[in-house]
Structures are given as C-alpha cells and as structure tokens.
Amino acid sequence: MIQKQFSVNGVERIVFVDPEAPLSSILREQLGLTGTKVGCGEAQCGACSVIVDGKVVRSCALRMKRLPEYAQVTTIEGIGTPDNLHPLQRAFIKIGAAQCGFCTPGFIVSAKVLLDENKKPSREEVRDWFQKNRNACRCTGYIPIVDAVMEAAKVLRGEMKAEELDYKEPADGRVFGSYRPRPTAVAKVTGTLDYGADRGLKLPPNALHIALVQAEVSHANIRGIDISEAAKMPGVFKVITHKDVKGKNRINGLPAVPYNKCDGWDRPILCDTKVFQYGDAIAMVCASSYEEAVAAAKKVKVDLDPLPAYLNVQAAREPDAIEIHPGTPNVFFTQDLEWGGDPEAAFAKDGVVTVEERVGTSRQPHLTIEPDVGFAYPDEEGRIHVYSKSIGVHLHQAMICEGVGLQSDQLFLACNPMGGTFGYKFSPTMEALVAVAALDTGRPVFLRYTYKQHMQYTGKRSPFFFTIKMGADKQTGKIVGLKYEFDMDHGPYSEFGDLLTLRGIQFTGAGYDIPNVRGQGRAVFTNHAWGSAFRSYGSPQAFMASETIVDELAAKLGMDPLEFRALNAYREGSVNRSGQDLDSHSLPKMFDALRPKYKAALEKAKKDSTPALKKGVGISVGVYGCGLDGPDSSAAFAELNPDNTITVGSSWEDHGQGADAGAIGVAHEALRPMKVAADRLRFTWPDTFKTPNSGPAGGSRSQVMTGSAIRVACEAMLEGLKKPGGGYLTYEEAVKANKPLRYDGAYSVPGVPCDAKGLGKPFMVYMYGIFMAEVTVDVATGKTAVDKMTLMADVGKVNNRLILDGQLYGGMAQGIGLALSEDFEDIQKHISLISGGLPFIKDVPDNMELVYFEEPREYGPFGAAGCGELPLSSPHVSILNAIYNASGARVTQIPARPDVVLKALKAAGN
Amino acid sequence: MIQKQFSVNGVERIVFVDPEAPLSSILREQLGLTGTKVGCGEAQCGACSVIVDGKVVRSCALRMKRLPEYAQVTTIEGIGTPDNLHPLQRAFIKIGAAQCGFCTPGFIVSAKVLLDENKKPSREEVRDWFQKNRNACRCTGYIPIVDAVMEAAKVLRGEMKAEELDYKEPADGRVFGSYRPRPTAVAKVTGTLDYGADRGLKLPPNALHIALVQAEVSHANIRGIDISEAAKMPGVFKVITHKDVKGKNRINGLPAVPYNKCDGWDRPILCDTKVFQYGDAIAMVCASSYEEAVAAAKKVKVDLDPLPAYLNVQAAREPDAIEIHPGTPNVFFTQDLEWGGDPEAAFAKDGVVTVEERVGTSRQPHLTIEPDVGFAYPDEEGRIHVYSKSIGVHLHQAMICEGVGLQSDQLFLACNPMGGTFGYKFSPTMEALVAVAALDTGRPVFLRYTYKQHMQYTGKRSPFFFTIKMGADKQTGKIVGLKYEFDMDHGPYSEFGDLLTLRGIQFTGAGYDIPNVRGQGRAVFTNHAWGSAFRSYGSPQAFMASETIVDELAAKLGMDPLEFRALNAYREGSVNRSGQDLDSHSLPKMFDALRPKYKAALEKAKKDSTPALKKGVGISVGVYGCGLDGPDSSAAFAELNPDNTITVGSSWEDHGQGADAGAIGVAHEALRPMKVAADRLRFTWPDTFKTPNSGPAGGSRSQVMTGSAIRVACEAMLEGLKKPGGGYLTYEEAVKANKPLRYDGAYSVPGVPCDAKGLGKPFMVYMYGIFMAEVTVDVATGKTAVDKMTLMADVGKVNNRLILDGQLYGGMAQGIGLALSEDFEDIQKHISLISGGLPFIKDVPDNMELVYFEEPREYGPFGAAGCGELPLSSPHVSILNAIYNASGARVTQIPARPDVVLKALKAAGN
C-alpha cells in the first residue's frame, strides 16, 4: 500500500492505495465516486473516462503508482450536479444522448476536455475525438451524442443560453408524441444513477463477494470438486458447490410447445455431473472481498473427464456424436412451416426462375458496455431478494425458484438500473447463483462478471445455417414459392430454443406475398455458447436468408431489387408468414417514399465510385412482431399518493429502451382529463415483491402490452376518482370519500400460438420497415464502410420521439456490427469489445435517415406499436446487398469482415 | 436487510440496508458521504446532524427502519461545495468558527434548518437552537459559531452580499498578526476534510477492522487467553494476543529524571501477565468487517485472577497495598521544591496570617467530539506506517518502536486530520496496537474506538490532592511563605508522571513573589485511568491549590482579592517558581487594566443579586510555560517547488489549534522580502517518513519552537535564493544556478531542566493571564451559571488573531466544565459526553471578553509566545472564587456540581 496525495473535483485528498490498483477502483470503491462507471475494465470502452491534469484518461487502466503526485482529477461528479448541470449534461438530456446511460459519464467527461481544447469543433472532429479516446456506446448509434456536443459547444461559446437546452413543453401540454427527456436522464448525465455495480459497492459491510470457479473446457464429466484448500483461504466465508444447492439445481427452460424433445431442465445452476460449455459455473467462493474470493477460487480443484466438444451443428449432428444431454437428441426441436402448395411444384413450372443459396449467421455477442452484475440478500423473514439486470423479473422467478429450492413467495427478483442488455438478459444469468449464495450464507452477496466472464458466460445470438430456395415468374416478377431449411446452433441449453426456431419460421420471407412455402427449422445442442435472446430475436437470421435470396432472385430476373421487392411486398389482402391478416399495410407507401431516395442514392454511388473504392446501395425489408407468441398479457396499476403524485406501477424493465418514459408517456395521455403534470407521475422499478407481472421487456412487447395495461389502469382511475360535478378527487378527498386509491389494469391480446405447421396469430401487432444502406467497398482490402443508412419505419403512433429516434439509430448501428464485424466464434479470442467487433463511432455513419409512417395499431396504446426490434431485423442484409450492388461480391456468411469480402470479391471476379 | 428509497442531496437512491443500522452508517459507509462525521454515536453531540424532511436529525441515532420512505435527506455535501459555498460556510470560515472542524458539518447543517425556519434569529435563539439540537463543540467556546450564524443570516436576508464574508487581505499584505482563515477551513466547512474514520472507510478493500478484547476489571492477574472459538468466527483473519507481539510488548514511558523509580516499561501493548486498569487491551480481533470483529471478540475467553483494585491514592498508599507493578513502589516519583527559607519560620513570625486548606481536583476527561481512531499498513517494503491522532509523531515513534519490535526506520507515524485532542494524544493510545496488527497480518488495519472505549481507554487529567498553607504579613499584605504537598493519582502507567509532578511544582503559587517556598509532589500508581496530558498540563491542579489559598488568605486579611493579588504579583526583578527570571512583566499592567472592569463587575453583581440567585465575581492568575522542560528544540524546512509554491515543512501536528495557519503565518512573515502570496505556501501533514522532528504539539511549544525553526528555514531560503542584483530566484532559475531548493531550519532554546529541588529554567517563554469570572449561584439548587468570563492575556505578539481568539474562548469553556461539571471518576457511569459533564452551548456564556497585552518574547518567532494552555490554567478557580464571592461558599474539590456547591453553601451558613 502507498499513500497518494491528489485532488479530486477540487478537493485535496490523501488516499491509501494499492499501487497496482487502477484509479477507477480508488474513485469508486475507496472514495465512493460511483459516477465513474467501469465497463470493460480493459481501457476499450471509455466508460470510466476521467480527467487527469487536463487530459482524458481511462481510469480503469491508470494504475495508482502512475498517477502523478498532486494530480488534478475530475470525475463526472465534478462536471456538474443535478442542481447545477453543465451545458454538456443539459444537451445530453435534451437530445436524448443518454439511453441506458452507462457510457454517458465517460462521454461527457471526454467531451468536456474536447471543448476545453477546441471551442468550435466540427462534427467530424467530435467523432475523431471519441474515436481517439475510445468512447464506446452500444445504444445510441452515436448521432445523438455528437448532436449534444455540438449544442453544448454553442452554449459554451456564448452563442446560445444554457436555458435553451431545457425541454420546452408543447403548447398542448401533451407528453405522448413529444420529445420529452426520459425521467432518469438527469441521474444518468450526472453519474448519480446507481447501476448494479454501484449498488453492490453500497451494500452493507457484511456483504460477501462472489468469485466463480468456471469450466475451462467445453464438455466434460465431473469426477470431483475439492474445495478444502479454498475454504481455508483468508476472507473466505463459504465455498459453494452443487451440493449446497437446496433445490433442483437446474434452470427451468420453460419449453413452449409439446413437441419440444426437452423437458427444459438441462441447464445446471452449478455443474454437478457435467460441464456443458466453456465458462460453466462449478463453484462459488463467497468472501469478504472480491480479491480474496478470486484468490480462493483459484484453489478449488475440479477433477474433469474431458468429452468431445461439439462446437458447431455439423459436429453435434454427426452420427457418432454422443448426446450432450444424455436421453435427449442433440437435434432437440424441429419446427415446420406449411403454407399453400409444394413450392417445388411451383418452381418446376415454365417461366419460373429459381435461386438456391446457403447462408449462415454469426454468434453475435451483445457487446453491452456494462458487464453482467447482480446481488441478492435474505430479508428479515429469510426471503431471498435478487437484484440484477433481469428484463423479465417474473419470468426469471418462474425459471429459477425450483432450481434454487424456494417457493415463489420466498424468492423475489428486482431490477437494478442497468446498462443496455439488448436481450441477453431475457435469460437468467447469475440470478440463480446469487440466490443460492444468499440462501446458503444468509448474507448479502454480490457478483460482477469481468468482461471476459461476461463474454464467455452469458448467452449469444444463435447462428442459423440455411439452405434456401426461391422462385419467381420471369414474366410477372411475382414470387411463386419459397423453400428452406435451417439448423440453429443453440449451444447446450434448451431455454427458448423452440421459440427461436419458431421466429426463424415466422420471419423467413416475411414482407412478401408468397403463395407456396415449405420450411423447416431445427434446434441443435452444441457445446458452444448457449443461445439467448438478442434484439430482433431470430429475425436477423431469417432475413439473412430471405433478403439475400430475394436480392439474388431480383438479380437473376434482371429486376431492380427495390422494384422486385415492392412488387411482391405485403399489401391489402396479404397474410403474413403465419397465415395471419396484417395489422398495417404500410409497406407499399414506404416503397413509394423510398423510391426517389433510392434512385438518388444509386446515382450518387455510381458517380462517386472509383475502381478502388466501389460504392453501392442495398435494400432489405424488415418485419418483427410485438409480443410473446400467442395470447400475451400484462398487468399494471395506477395509485394516487398522499402527495397527490400518481405512481404508474408495473414491472416494465428498463434496459435503456426507455421504460420510464414509455410508462409516463402512456399514463399521461390516459390521464389527460385529470390534467396531471408529467412530473407528478412516478414510474416504478420492477420488483416481483412489489410490482405486478407485466411480462418480460423483450420482443418489443412492453409498450403494446404493458403500455396498454397502464392505459387500462389509468382509465380505471379516471372512472374511480371522477367527481359528480366534474373534475377529479384529490388524495384527501378520495380518502374522505372512502374511494380506492389504487387501480389495477390488466391487458391481454387474442393471439393464437403457431401450430406444428407454423400457422397461427403469434403477434397482434407488428413493425414494418425498409432499410437502405449506402456503402463503400475498398477493393484492395475488402474493408466495407457504411456511408449512410435510411430506414422507412412503421412502428405505429409514436409515444416518445426522442427515444424512438435513439432506438432506431442504435439498432441500425448494431446492424452494422452484425453485418461487418461482430462475432463470438472463437471462445478464447472474442472475449472483449474490440475483438468481439464492437462498432466504434467511426464505424457508424454520422448520416442515418429515419422516415416514420405512423399507422395506428388496434392493439397498442393510443395506436402505438413497439419499436426496439425493427432496426435490427434486417439492416445487415441491406449492407450485404449494397456490397453486392457496389462490387458484385455476394457475402452469404456474416460478419463480412474484410477477408470474407475479399474472398467474395475474388469469387465475383474482382 | 431491507430496501430503502430516499433522496440524498437531491438524488433519489435505492439503498440496501440493515434496518437496525443508523442513517449515519449508510451515508458514510455505504454512500461514501463522509462529510457527516460521527462523534459520540449516541445522539449526544450533534456532529452527525443531517436534515431529514426539513428537520435536524442526529443521523447516528436514526435507525434505517424509521427513515420514512421517500425521505429527503440533506447532508453537508448538499449544503455547499468548495466551489459553491453556502453563506453559512463562508461565515464559518471568516469567523474562524471551525477549529478542529469535526463538529462543523453538524453545526452548519443544523444552522441551515434554523435559518430556514427563522430568518432573523437573536443570538439567544441561535443558542437555544443548538442547545435543543445538542450541537456540541469542544474547541470554540461556541461564541464564534453564533457569530457566524448571525453573519450568514444577514446574507440570507439580503442585508449583506455573500462576498462580504470573504477574507480581505490587509493593506500591507501581512499574514502575521492578521485574521486570515486557516488553510484547512474550506475543507472543514464542506465536510471534505477526511478525518481518521473517513480515511479508514476509504482504505483498500483488503483492510481489516480491529475489535479490542478489553479487561472489565481494574486489576487482575491473567491466567490464560483462549482465542480458539473466536478464530473460527466468520470474517476473522487473525486474533492477536501478546504472544504475537514481536517486540518488548511495552510502551516506553521515557522517564525524564534519574530519580524516577520507574524504568518506564510498565504499560503493556497487549496485556500479558496482568490487567492494570479497566479497559486494558488483552487481544485484538482482525476481521473483514467491524461487525464480524466485534462478534468474534466476544468469543475470546480471558481467564483472570482478580486483585484488589486501588482506585485512588489513599487506597494505593495503604501500607498493605500490593505493588501494582511488582518491584516498583506505588509512590513511584517524588519531586521537592525548595526556594528561600523555611516557610514555617516565616509563618511563625508576628503579624503573619496563615491559611491552610485541602483541595482536590478531578479526573477531567478530554471530552473530544471525535473518538480515538487510527490505522496502519505495511508498505511495499514491509515497513509499517501508522496514521493516527498522534500529536507527537516522533515522540510516539520513540515510545512504541521497541515494544512493537521494529527499528525506527521500519515504523513511521503520521497524522490524520484530526479533531481536537486537548492533549490526550500526547500519549500514544492505539498506535502500538495498530502497528502490531499491521505487522502481524501484513494488511492495512483500522481501529476506531466507540465513545465508551474512548472514555475508558484513553488517558485522563490526573487528580491532585493538596494540603497547602500560605501566610502573609497583615500589615503589608505581602505573602511571606508557601508550603504544600500533594499526591497525584497517575493511574497505572508511569509515562510523563514525573513531568506532571514537576508541573505541579512549577505552577503552584505561580504569578506571585514568594520569598520562602517548600513543596513536595508525589506521583502515585493506582488502578484508575492512566494519566495523560491535558491542556495546561498540571497547572489547573496547581492553581486549584494556590489560587484558592490566595483567595482565602485575602479574605482572612480582609483585603480585596484583586488588590491582594496585584500587590503580590510578579514584577520587575521577580523570579518564577523555578527561580528563573521572567520573560515578560505584564501582570501589573494587566491588573491595572482589569481593575475598573472588576469594580464594575462587583457593582453589577451586588445590584443584580437576589437572595435566591446570588451573584459574585472571582479572580485568578494563570501562568504556563511554552516548551518541554529544559533545552527544547525543533526542526523544519522550506522548499521551493517546481510550480514556485513553497512547502513549509515540519511535523507541527494540528489538532485544531491551527498548525496550518501557524506555520503559514510565520513563514509568510519570514519570507516577506520574497513577496510570496500566502496561498503559494503549502503546509505539510506530519509524518516521520517525510517531515523532520519538530517535537510534539503540546505545552504551547509549537509556535515558539517549530515556528522559530520555520523562521530559521525561511531565512536560510532568503539567503540561498537571493539574487545579486536584488530579488529572488524562481524555481527554474535556482535549478539553472544549481542552488539548493530545500533549506532546513533548526531551533533550540537554552533551557535548564529543574533539579531535585525544583529549580532551573524549564521554559524560555511563558504566558501570563488574569481571569475574571462572573457567576450566579442558585442557592436552592446549588447550580452555578457562569455569566461572563474576562481574560487579560499576554501571549506575546499575535500570529493569527482569529485562531488566538478561538483558543482562548475554547480554553475558558473547558475551564467552565472543569470547574462545574466534568469528571471521569465513575468508570462505569462517566462514559459519555453528557455523563462526563461536557458544557453545551447554554452552559457557556455568550459573553467572554479578551484583552491582549502583546509583550514581545525573545525566544518566540517575531515575538510570539504560545497560547493554547493559558486559557485553561486557572479559569476554574476564578469561577470557584466567584462562587465564594457570591455566596460565601468555598468549594475545594472540583467539579463544583450542584450537590457540592449546596454542601459548601450549607457549610457557609446559607
């Protein structure tokens, strides 16, 4: 330990530190300044940026021994406070530049130094700065952040008053349909919102830190686990193995359909008989400090008997492959689609042109800036409370109770404020682990994954491997049939594998009228990373197949790819891939609106292309549903409080998508007759102990389902508090009149699950979009740059415009990553943000155009649909199609990293 | 554990807490808001005051289960920041209302609510508020705090600009002699100064918490210590007993004179063979958390063989009393005084009137607001660094090295910012304990005493029991002789007991010309609390005897007590009690200046007295030395830094008395030719690893000795950096010219230690004063109220007037406590601030008058003496004399609690 004297936010401090410890730890753990967030912990993401002697420094990498004596350190807490916001903070709020907010303090701190050095930066200089300082954002697509910096700079130059950055209410006072900043924005831009790791540091002193003992092989039988040496290590309270798990020690995978060959009980909480994938948890060391827990975890000896590791579907489907879960075939689920007649018959007809292709998708990692984190504790009655990044608190409660060994009234799940999850938290990750540890130790327990653990031991997007064939009539240009099959690599755990296969069936070929379709999807166990949800779940894989084949077919027909699509697109009278009537018929209008932009883009590409840098334009159609399969439902409440605020209660989990603003927007609209100001509405943090089951925050369902439940609750409140002579009762009046103060709202939709032939009404609300990508392909290197993305979007009536823009920008940025760089194929290598392929600011164009078609939806609140999934449904295919348009190179396997594109360029004769 | 949602300084927080934990712990330990200080932890001192929903709340007592959901909590961090000070903070700085600063956040937070509720309070309303809210201060005497609140209120009412509260430099730019606020003031008023307990919370996560296993008897032999069960308790890293101490396991008591019968090696670090006093440390449990350490400490079994407990000198001097330290007599040190002839011969002469009296003093507790606290850690080379409230870092290093088992280059002591110690930290308390624990565990270790531990296991002022006789010539009124003897109860440990006895000899009868004196003091071991230094060390006991007997003699002579004193006071040609020539002859001037005030006071008392409430005026003379006995010395340095600031380096420990301002004041004066701005001078925090041996900060020696060493260093710097053509070299120029950047200054005085007859030149600088107390005695209850204190003070030239005023106010307030309420006689009962008798604001008059006589001192820097001890030398006796003047009741044993006064009133015929 050494003594360091330095100044933090203007206060001189003498602090006693481990010389090897990073500045971020000292700021957060020793000085309590948790405004500085730590993302990757490897100096890749810039979340932990602070200012040291006037320079931006990634504090996770600055070891204390290197901090100059008397250094002047400024953290987000020193930039501005909720009462006294810096113009950058005001601008980030106004522009909606903070979505999940986890990277926000780092961006603001970084931008502060930029604007200290350069009072009038250009947008490109702002982008260069964030690129240089490695400030990474996974939510926003970066554009709002650059917007915010440009606005703040104006204030700092004196060209604008700071107050002009404050949100102005529209004349009609409406919140629904406005640009109102989200309720958590101030806390996010000031670093005062406590995320899981922040709360973990603020637990009582008896909290234990958990270090995992994890498998370092992908498949093995377990012979024995020796914890004796570890248990004696300093600070160790308990070493927990499967023997200590009081319940079934399995996560309930909740099979969705009866023809799933799994019972769902395949994923262990702590491995007992077998290791199924690299990183599987075998033991937990609970110790007084993280360092002690890690040191002891190294002393746990695991005796393993290695088995062949099946790291892809081919290997797992080999005839001599053993069953990963003995008793269950590795191909554990098959889903067919039958619509119309046999496509092969249609293909065989005269004048029909067909194309057949094999396409494959990647194991896209979610690349969240915040790694997985959570904690649990026993309450006064011994009940266990788990706080995590769960985006399905009631769902996960159902999935882990039995495994942990508790009834649902003994185990509660709640959300911490959290960084974007983009769906990986639709699966429980550490919830069962911390619940087991809290139950076993009787103490609060805290677990935070390192970034490597976060990469290796959370679910990934499951790759699909398609064979797909489509035919169209040469004369009419009409598609006559579609036939495909795919294997889906779901890793070793079955949970939601049936649903994911179903998504492949629901969206392959979506957007088009196709009379004859046959498809089959197969879910396969492997020993690679388990498959979890990821934004637009299943559809990027489906569209990878169908939007590629459509493009190829158009080319073969000699038709313009936009016109071929427009000709075949859904229209009045169409049904979707599940045989269901459409809820909106916006696609033709969108094609009409896109057409002139498309022509101009083609022209520009032609003009600007050079033999070395080829430019092209690509199109793709994207469709996604809002909801769970079939008859989805949600619950919420509205409650009048003693201070006459109204609590808008639900379990709408917020992982940056804006549950707070969503709930308030709907509630405010529903309560307009009461004339209640938006800042008198309180949203709730989801907690199965307190808030009703609103279902998970995935599949763009929350606004439709929970938004509607909130609407219903608010309408009940209006009715319940109405005064006979007009107006509404106050709290005091309601109490006096003996009126209820709380009004529950339930909402459900009459969906019908898909049957064994893939037909039904899985979603009552859909989103529709058309993507147009403009790219430049460097023929020498194979490197592709996306110059612009355009999205024609129909997500129904808009609740919050600020948040909607952010969702679409951010989703398309992830589409760029999906198309060009992101992967988790190499378990050893793809373990960081950079090696995993995260797009930094210069990988994302500063030019993304959004055009809305606000078709009202019958089943959404005030006509709104969901929105989060649409932008990642098929943007990647528009990029691949643009590469083809630019260069003739057809990429059929993502990511289209330079080597892949080079190969395709060569195949195309470049 | 429960979840609580509340707002802290405007930020909404969800925090997970033990429902029984106090809000203060959550704020400090879980949220890192260490601006809220915890003093007593028993809701008695108000240091931990915060605002909860608009009300002042002592956060140490508000259990989290009682905190309302959605409560609005405001801490000092939410009142203002260093960059944005609240008017209360500015006023506290300007007025010098923060001395040690430990109680300051609590006062400011409390005053904030007062001024929210009452925009124009009277001074008495301010006092009522702080009384009601139990805001306690041990340093300031409260007057500056009330001043500051009144000033801030003006700003808040808009009658004054906030900027008017900022310090304005005098026209000549001088710092020496000015009212410049102390350098640490901003940090103190904003709660950003980290005291020991704050730093303890900010140690690295591997730090261990220590819980002491202490004796619960006062005297016993130890048969055995069984740690086996404790060692197995959760979180325990190590249970340390005397067997683990690598050194001699004794504190070196450093006997000062050869005729001390002790070798000084009597105080164990951890008891081995015997327990010597209640609270003695027997073992230390080092665990991951404090709670775990405490739980385990309860499991240590100590097998004791009780011995008779000698809790006073009578018991310890009984002929059959066993030796507390076998081999050393319980009367371990005797000091005589012989000056002139035999006083009995003088008393026997005709016309001589004599009085004989027995007087006793109390075991005054220091009643600091901050309890004892410290930590230690091994550095990268295994050397141990101890950070504590030591006010003698080099002294304590010498006292503990051998006991711990380390060389002086392996063990370093340093100061944390600290609350007032008033001398208890002249003895090491926990330094050796934490050093042993850090050495044994190899970890950082932290130890904070509860207030009860702080009371029971730190040193106290040792009581003196006098028999004293004085005679004067009836005709001339001249004192002819003084004879006395006293037993001093030093508890079981010898350290500094010889010096304390010597102080009794040096100050009994000080202030007067007395031709014939015989005295004897005896230091006695008992099993009560060990004796440590306390402000004015030894002199309140000595003056209790001599200023009582002087008063009684004046009465017997029928002379006015002021005139009798003035007649006999030191004057030109006088020598002091050590036979030494005087360094200042200000007493006669002071009597002349006091006389009209005294007469007016007497008149007023007479006029305002009623039979029920009797008023009176009392006088006492106080004298104290500045320095250690004999040839004292100090060292300092001045160093030019790369940024052209100058480090004023020394080990001048600051326990609230203003070492920071003292050092800067002297250095600025010395460096005036360089024209360096005061804010370019950096003071140092004492650390034997870095700063030279300046000697301890006790006995009002620092300004004289270390101030002079700083002057010498600065003068060397002036000489060294002088340019030939005038002006001084900058850092760059000095480096270029190859000139030294650091200039050391050493200073020593030609003192002569007192000999076995009590004669010598123990101090080269003294302080002189006359106290006048005005009191009201409630005849029915015996309760005494002090209405006013006046102090005529000669402390030489004034360095910092703000700090000097604060020292004198605060010292006199402690004199009121010493006189009327403070004691630590009952080991079980006197364990809190209130039961220990701390004066709250309404116990201290709002009227204290200070009159300075700035006689320059030869040996002090720029003529300054010390100042801290003077105000507590004899103020209590002026109060007792005023009680006598009011009511005829003569109190000879302090504290003069109501029952004591009632008894004396009855004896006087009331």
Side-chain angles (χ1 to χ4, degrees), chain A residues 435-602:
Chain A
V436 162
L439 184 62
D440 193 48
T441 61
R443 295 269 198 117
V445 294
F446 174 61
L447 175 57
R448 181 184 180 273
Y449 288 176
T450 63
Y451 211 84
K452 184 177 165 190
Q453 288 177 312
H454 178 64
M455 289 296 279
Q456 290 178 333
Y457 194 45
T458 61
K460 298 288 168 282
R461 191 190 289 284
S462 297
F464 283 44
F465 299 94
F466 271 90
T467 302
I468 186 164
K469 186 175 180 185
M470 186 179 264
D473 185 292
K474 212 171 176 174
Q475 216 72 40
T476 62
K478 285 281 191 175
I479 299 170
V480 299
L482 169 65
K483 188 179 174 188
Y484 64 89
E485 59 172 333
F486 64 83
D487 282 326
M488 182 270 284
D489 177 349
H490 205 249
Y493 302 128
S494 69
E495 62 199 38
F496 312 133
D498 44 14
L499 292 177
L500 177 57
T501 311
L502 210 47
R503 291 289 174 281
I505 294 294
Q506 288 158 347
F507 296 109
T508 302
Y512 305 104
D513 241 4
I514 311 178
N516 308 297
V517 186
R518 289 294 179 278
Q520 184 178 72
R522 292 175 295 267
V524 185
F525 281 136
T526 70
N527 297 113
H528 210 300
W530 99 78
S532 73
F534 196 145
R535 192 177 201 170
S536 315
Y537 195 43
S539 77
Q541 298 99 318
F543 288 115
M544 177 72 191
S546 60
E547 285 299 310
T548 298
I549 204 78
V550 163
D551 220 58
E552 292 192 25
L553 190 52
K556 194 157 181 186
L557 287 164
M559 283 183 75
D560 178 89
L562 178 139
E563 298 303 344
F564 178 61
R565 285 178 169 88
L567 181 68
N568 286 286
Y570 288 156
R571 59 201 61 234
E572 291 283 343
S574 295
V575 294
N576 67 15
R577 282 288 73 71
S578 309
Q580 179 185 12
D581 290 337
L582 302 180
D583 62 323
S584 174
H585 298 87
S586 46
L587 274 174
K589 287 184 224 173
M590 288 193 221
F591 276 111
D592 290 343
L594 180 59
R595 189 172 287 111
K597 294 175 192 289
Y598 172 68
K599 286 188 172 162
L602 278 177

Side-chain angles (χ1 to χ4, degrees), chain A residues 30 202 292 387 443, chain B residues 3 30 202 292 387 443:
Chain A
Q30 295 185 220
K202 293 169 189 174
E292 288 168 321
Y387 281 74
R443 295 269 198 117
Chain B
Q3 188 224 66
Q30 295 186 220
K202 294 168 188 174
E292 288 168 321
Y387 281 73
R443 295 268 197 119

Side-chain angles (χ1 to χ4, degrees), chain B residues 675-712:
Chain B
K675 296 193 178 69
V676 55
D679 60 8
R680 307 295 292 164
L681 301 176
R682 280 183 170 272
F683 69 95
T684 55
W685 295 98
D687 184 347
T688 62
F689 191 62
K690 297 178 183 172
T691 53
N693 188 349
S694 307
S700 291
R701 65 176 287 286
S702 298
Q703 179 154 282
V704 172
M705 298 306 305
T706 306
S708 295
I710 289 171
R711 176 183 57 73
V712 171

